[in-house]
Structures are given as C-alpha cells and as structure tokens.
Amino acid sequence: MAITLFLATALMVFVSFVCYRKRHVPVAKTMILIMVAAAFYALGYAFEVLSRNLDEVKLSLHIEYLGIPFVTTLWLFQVIQFTGTAATYRKRLALLLFAIPTAVFFFHLTNDWHHLVYERYDFNEHGLVPLYTTVKGPWYKVHAIYNYFVLLCGILLFIPMYWRSLPIVRKQIGILLLGAIAPMFCNLFFWTGSTVDLTPFGFAISGIAYVWGFYRFHLLRLTPLAMAKVFETIRDGVVLFDYEDQIVTYNQAAGEVLPELVLTKQYPADMGKVLVDNPELLAHIRSTTEGDERFPFHRFQGNRTRHYNCSLSLVHDSGKVLIGKLLVFNDITQLKESETQLRENARQLSELNEFKDKLFTVVAHDIRDPIALLVNLTELLGDELTAADLEHAGVVRELKGQVQSTFHLVENLLDWYRSQKGKVVFRPLGWNLQQVVRQALLLVGSKAGMKRILLTEQVDENLKVIADKEMLDLILRNLLSNAIKFTGSGGAIEIGAVLEGDLIVVSVTDNGVGIDEQTAELLRMEEPALKAMAPVDESGETRFGLALTREFVRIQGGSLWFESEPGKGTTFFFTLPVSNDGGREEDAYESYFGGR
C-alpha cells in the first residue's frame, strides 16, 4: 500500500511539472498547487502506513496536513478562474475561501494543546493499517462539511457553463469534474466505517485524468473564459448548432442580427421554434449536410434593411464525425448602401456628362459661328475706318482684338472637348517643318503687323517631322498668338528648330514681358486643362491655351517646356520626332494643301 501511495505521489508531482511548463496561465498555477497539496497528502499517508509508533504517526499527519486543508478549496478556486467568476473581487474572495482551511491547518499543528481536530489516538489492535485510529474532533467535522460544500459550489458553477460551451470545452469541464469527484467518492468510504483512507488514491485518479486531458484535449491551453471573450468580441454574428440542429449558443453580435435568440431563455433550443419567422434561413441550415455554404440574408431592422453574407460551416470532431454547424453573419449593410450611393452618383455623373455634351454642342453651333461672323465684320469695319482715318478707328481695333481673343478661346475649348471625347483623329505624317512654320507665320502676320512686331524663322529647309498637321498648326498658332499678345510694339518673335538625335526641338522666342508666376507654376505642376482656365481673364485664356498645347504636344510624342525672365521675354520649346522618309513628306504636304 505504501508503494502504491509513493507511486501516486510521483504521478501528482509529474502533473505539477507538466502544469509548471504552462505556468503563464493562472489556472495552471492553481493546478500546480492542487497537485502539490495532493502529493503531500499521499506522501504523508504513505509514511503513516509505514509508521511504527505514535510519534511517527503524528509526524506523518503533519505532512498530510500540508495538503489536506487546502486541496479542495484550491480546486474551487481553479473552477472560479476557469469559469471567469468574480473577476473583479477574486483576491478578496480567495482570502475568504481559505480562512477555514488555514484555521484547520494551525489547529492541527497545535492539536496536542486543545484536541480540536483529533480528540485522541487509539491503538489499532485488530490490524496493521492504520497503526492508530483517530477520534475526530469538532474542527475535523467542520472541515469535512466545508469540503463538501466547496465541491458542491464548484459543480454548480460548472453546470451552466457545460451546457453553453463548445464540445472541446465540455470535455475539459468533464476532466476537471472527474478530478474532484474521484477523491470525494473515495473519501465516502472512509465515512462509512472503513479504517483505510482511500482519498489519496482518488487524487491519483485525478492526476491520471489531468495528464490525459493535457495531451488529449489541451487542458488549460485555453480556458472557457478566454474562449467566451473571443466568442463575444467577434464582430460577426456567430450561432452554434449541435448535430440535431438545436441552437447551443450564440454571441452578442448574433443577438443583434436575430433578436429572437435573446428572447429565448433556455438553451439548447429548438431551431425551428426560435427561427420560425425566418423560413429561408431555416431551409439553408437544414439542407447543408456536406461542405460549407455561403448565402445572402437580409431583414428589416430599425427603419433600414440590413444585409448579411452568411457562412454555414460543418463542425467535425477528430474522428470526422459531424457534431454541429457554425453559422456566421457578416454585416455588409454599409457596403450595400455605399454601392447604392455609388450607383446614384454614377447616374448623376452621367446626367452631368450629357448636360456637358449638350453645352458644348451649343458652344459649337450657336456661339462659335456668330463669333466667327463678328470677327469678320470687325475686321472689315476696322479696315474701312483705318482707311478713312476716323477718330474711332482705335476703338474698333480694340474691339476687333477682344472679339478675336474670344473666338480663339472658343476654338481652344472646342479643340479640348474633341480631344477629351476621342473625336480628335491623330494621323501622323511626314512634313517639311520650314513650310509648316512659314504657313503659321503668314496666318498671324497681320496681327503682328498691327503691333509692328518682327517675325522671323530660323528653320533648316531639310528638317522634316512626323506630326499630325492640324495639331501642329494648333500648337504653333497658340504659341505665336501668346507671344504676340505679351510682346510690346516694335518687339521681335523668332521661331527656330535644331536636330537633336531622333528629335527636332522647336523654339518660339519673344522679347515680351515674360510669363506671370501663376501661369508658370501651373505649367510646372502640369494641372489639367480645365483647372488651367479657372480665372476668366486674359491670363486664364492664356493658361488654357498653353495647357491645351501641352496636351497636343504629348499626343505627338513630344514634350513642352519654357524659359522665361520677367521683362526680358520667354522661350517655349517643344519636341517632335524626326522623319527620314523624304518622299512621303513632300507628298503629304502637297496633298494637304492641294486638298484645301
């Protein structure tokens, strides 16, 4: 019997060692104390069995009482930790729980003075074990009643948790219950008249159960409290069903999705009764028997329709046997509402685009043509007044300049609109650059002559470029018009071109006032054309024209930049790809002008 008790002690020390490796978990720390206390109980009892006189028996009992008063209370404290009970005042509760065990320990330590635990020790004349039988005192009986009360409290804490827990947690609860019931059952034999205390062997059974739980069900790896916190803090609604499609438990988020879950007071509950108002949801849950399923779900709550993506998963145990189902509600209401809002925004944007198209149609047909006619009339009127040398000739010339400037802006707007709508057809051909430049100079010659501006070109007659003729004309027209606008009377403008590798760099240089800082900054930031036209004034028109010019240069495969010094002038540079096919350039040029 002593050997068996020593083996039980060794087993409980081993369990303590296993728990020590998980000592960062508070429940594991308590398990260490339980096993150490039970080990002292078994070890002391082994020595009691081997005792040869009363002094050795008393010494053995002192060893036993290092564990006997505390082991059951430690188990209850472990249950409290495991279930998460009284988390806010657990330390004060511990002091209260261990008051009686501590008193029993000191009463036994001083038992020879007052005999409150054992009244006397009687020699056992009828057997070898135990050598002495004890007559129990009042505090022994108090401690026995307290122990059974503690065990009952622990069981009552476990029962509601057992029914609401996941299967893996239920198995952990069962192991911890076995750890308490086995010693209690063995101790009952002692109260029925048996002279041999089998309680230490009950703790040995507990130790075996705990070791099995460690390696089979991950005992103490994650307590139900931690699982419950994870379960409740999941933002998605989660409902757990058993293999009979009964609702076992749910989290708070699921209660917000299905308020009928909260109204049901007792679980497990019949799914058909709880979810009777959701027949489609019931059908999905019942029909899913193989594999996982995803489906939409929506219901009207709080003056709005809430939308969910549902995921129904099958839960299997280690043997691949179906033990339940897990339903997860992922709230996508905000996503759905945002999608609806995006559709509405797209509809409004489409209407705005249609309005913009109509607006530009009006500009193209109802504004451009009258302004073009007005330009011709002002030119005729200006020529007549100048020839007649009338006093209002200057006013008419100013009026003609304003009308031409407005017409130029309208032309730029229409060109930009066609480019944005994809209506500008890019047809690159080979062109003689000198001839194209001279044509552009002829078109602006009269405007420059009015300000006595000298126009010159320094372009090699052999330079040929690949470009779209209409775009190139627009580029030169804009750059020359801006140069004339900001060059004073008697100034000079020069167009030059040089060959650099596979590119031709074209320059337009004037000795005017230079570029204002706002326009220069906008061109460096490469703002969109629409932002460039924000100020509706002369500078705003210039910015818009330059932004449009830059876009057309890019379409040609080149780039635009400038150098400017206030009061001294500006030079704009842009690049075009060089053409090496001499025949094609001449044919293109002749066909272009011949067609006109």
Side-chain angles (χ1 to χ4, degrees):
M1 183 175 179
I3 292 173
T4 306
L5 288 168
F6 282 131
L7 290 174
T9 302
L11 177 61
M12 287 181 274
V13 171
F14 173 73
V15 175
S16 300
F17 172 73
V18 173
C19 294
Y20 181 76
R21 295 170 60 184
K22 305 175 185 295
R23 60 188 179 278
H24 58 281
V25 181
V27 179
K29 293 179 182 178
T30 308
M31 180 71 80
I32 294 172
L33 296 177
I34 292 173
M35 288 293 100
V36 169
F40 276 119
Y41 191 174
L43 180 65
Y45 196 42
F47 287 141
E48 183 182 351
V49 170
L50 298 176
S51 297
R52 294 167 296 180
N53 53 56
L54 182 58
D55 290 336
E56 291 181 359
V57 169
K58 288 183 178 181
L59 178 60
S60 300
L61 286 172
H62 284 310
I63 296 174
E64 292 178 48
Y65 268 79
L66 290 173
I68 288 176
F70 306 105
V71 63
T72 307
T73 308
L74 283 169
W75 177 83
L76 175 61
F77 191 72
Q78 183 187 57
V79 173
I80 291 172
Q81 290 176 312
F82 198 77
T83 58
T85 306
T88 56
Y89 50 91
R90 191 171 295 163
K91 291 183 178 179
R92 286 174 287 175
L93 180 61
L95 292 175
L96 182 63
L97 288 174
F98 285 96
I100 291 180
T102 303
V104 171
F105 173 77
F106 283 106
F107 283 149
H108 181 269
L109 193 63
T110 59
N111 187 70
D112 288 343
W113 300 347
H114 46 67
H115 303 288
L116 291 176
V117 179
Y118 296 119
E119 292 182 356
R120 65 178 185 275
Y121 304 90
D122 295 336
F123 183 74
N124 185 4
E125 298 178 351
H126 304 289
L128 296 176
V129 179
L131 185 61
Y132 285 86
T133 58
T134 55
V135 177
K136 279 59 176 182
W139 266 95
Y140 184 95
K141 297 174 183 177
V142 168
H143 183 235
I145 295 172
Y146 180 74
N147 278 343
Y148 284 101
F149 172 75
V150 163
L151 288 171
L152 180 62
C153 290
I155 293 171
L156 291 177
L157 285 175
F158 268 144
I159 289 175
M161 173 166 281
Y162 179 86
W163 290 112
R164 292 184 60 87
S165 296
L166 298 173
I168 185 66
V169 180
R170 288 184 177 184
K171 293 172 182 177
Q172 292 188 13
I173 293 173
I175 291 170
L176 292 176
L177 280 172
L178 177 61
I181 293 173
M184 180 179 69
F185 182 76
C186 293
N187 185 258
L188 290 176
F189 286 98
F190 193 61
W191 287 94
T192 58
S194 174
T195 58
V196 177
D197 187 1
L198 299 178
T199 308
F201 297 103
F203 282 111
I205 296 172
S206 301
I208 295 172
Y210 292 153
V211 170
W212 182 56
F214 290 142
Y215 292 104
R216 182 65 177 82
F217 302 115
H218 307 295
L219 185 64
L220 306 185
R221 180 168 294 183
L222 189 65
T223 66
L225 174 62
M227 286 188 174
K229 286 186 178 294
V230 172
F231 191 63
E232 287 299 331
T233 53
I234 294 175
R235 293 185 178 182
D236 294 337
V238 182
V239 183
L240 181 64
F241 303 87
D242 62 14
Y243 64 94
E244 295 180 336
D245 284 342
Q246 289 197 94
I247 301 175
V248 177
T249 187
Y250 63 92
N251 66 352
Q252 183 177 354
E256 294 174 358
V257 178
L258 301 170
E260 47 265 57
L261 293 173
V262 182
L263 298 176
T264 303
K265 301 303 181 183
Q266 186 174 356
Y267 286 92
D270 185 0
M271 177 182 68
K273 294 180 179 178
V274 177
L275 304 179
V276 65
D277 295 330
N278 301 276
E280 293 184 3
L281 183 61
L282 280 172
H284 278 292
I285 297 171
R286 287 170 174 161
S287 62
T288 302
T289 57
E290 295 181 2
D292 299 342
E293 184 181 354
R294 295 180 181 275
F295 55 90
F297 175 72
H298 63 272
R299 66 183 305 171
F300 188 76
Q301 289 180 345
N303 298 324
R304 66 188 296 200
T305 301
R306 304 199 67 90
H307 300 268
Y308 302 92
N309 270 340
C310 296
S311 174
L312 185 62
S313 304
L314 304 182
V315 182
H316 300 87
D317 66 1
S318 56
K320 301 300 181 182
V321 176
L322 179 65
I323 59 174
K325 299 176 183 177
L326 191 69
L327 179 62
V328 179
F329 294 91
N330 181 19
D331 192 342
I332 58 169
T333 305
Q334 190 66 39
L335 183 62
K336 284 286 187 181
E337 292 176 349
S338 298
E339 183 180 341
T340 302
Q341 185 63 42
L342 284 174
R343 286 200 183 99
E344 177 62 20
N345 292 343
R347 185 190 64 78
Q348 294 178 2
L349 183 59
S350 177
E351 292 179 355
L352 287 174
N353 277 331
E354 291 178 4
F355 173 75
K356 180 200 68 176
D357 293 341
K358 292 177 181 178
L359 178 63
F360 273 97
T361 300
V362 172
V363 171
H365 294 89
D366 298 345
I367 297 180
R368 180 184 180 280
D369 293 343
I371 294 178
L373 178 61
L374 189 58
V375 169
N376 294 331
L377 290 175
T378 54
E379 287 180 349
L380 291 173
L381 183 60
D383 293 341
E384 292 178 0
L385 291 177
T386 301
D389 195 22
L390 297 178
E391 58 178 335
H392 298 297
V395 175
V396 174
R397 283 197 297 272
E398 179 64 25
L399 175 63
K400 182 176 70 173
Q402 293 293 332
V403 172
Q404 287 178 338
S405 177
T406 303
F407 181 71
H408 184 55
L409 176 60
V410 171
E411 285 280 288
N412 280 338
L413 279 170
L414 293 175
D415 287 336
W416 171 83
Y417 172 68
R418 288 196 298 271
S419 70
Q420 296 298 307
K421 294 292 289 183
K423 294 182 178 180
V424 173
V425 180
F426 178 56
R427 295 189 180 94
L429 295 172
W431 301 95
N432 184 289
L433 182 61
Q434 185 185 67
Q435 293 177 346
V436 176
V437 168
R438 287 180 177 178
Q439 182 197 14
L441 291 175
L442 285 174
L443 293 175
V444 298
S446 60
K447 185 185 296 186
M450 293 175 62
K451 298 179 69 173
R452 299 187 302 281
I453 295 174
L454 177 62
L455 299 177
T456 59
E457 57 90 3
Q458 298 293 331
V459 180
D460 191 302
E461 63 181 4
N462 296 317
L463 289 179
K464 298 176 177 63
V465 297
I466 298 176
D468 180 284
K469 182 62 170 56
E470 290 190 3
M471 290 187 184
L472 183 54
D473 287 342
L474 183 143
I475 293 168
L476 292 171
R477 184 185 73 198
N478 270 326
L479 293 178
L480 288 170
S481 296
N482 287 332
I484 293 171
K485 183 182 299 183
F486 295 105
T487 300
S489 298
I493 298 173
E494 178 181 300
I495 298 182
V498 294
L499 178 64
E500 294 185 0
D502 295 334
L503 295 175
I504 294 176
V505 180
V506 183
S507 61
V508 179
T509 304
D510 66 66
N511 59 356
V513 297
I515 297 179
D516 65 275
E517 186 60 32
Q518 187 175 2
T519 303
E521 185 65 24
L522 182 143
L523 290 174
R524 292 190 188 101
M525 294 175 61
E526 299 189 352
E527 288 290 328
L530 280 179
K531 291 186 179 180
M533 61 175 289
V536 185
D537 56 14
E538 191 175 76
S539 297
E541 176 197 336
T542 301
R543 297 183 197 113
F544 182 77
L546 290 175
L548 184 62
T549 300
R550 182 181 59 200
E551 293 302 316
F552 282 147
V553 169
R554 285 178 177 174
I555 293 174
Q556 306 273 14
S559 58
L560 177 75
W561 71 96
F562 65 93
E563 295 176 359
S564 181
E565 187 174 352
K568 294 186 177 181
T570 302
T571 300
F572 275 93
F573 302 91
F574 66 93
T575 59
L576 294 171
V578 66
S579 173
N580 297 316
D581 186 356
R584 286 186 59 198
E585 291 88 0
E586 296 297 333
D587 294 342
Y589 188 82
E590 290 175 2
S591 64
Y592 183 84
F593 286 104
R596 291 187 177 236

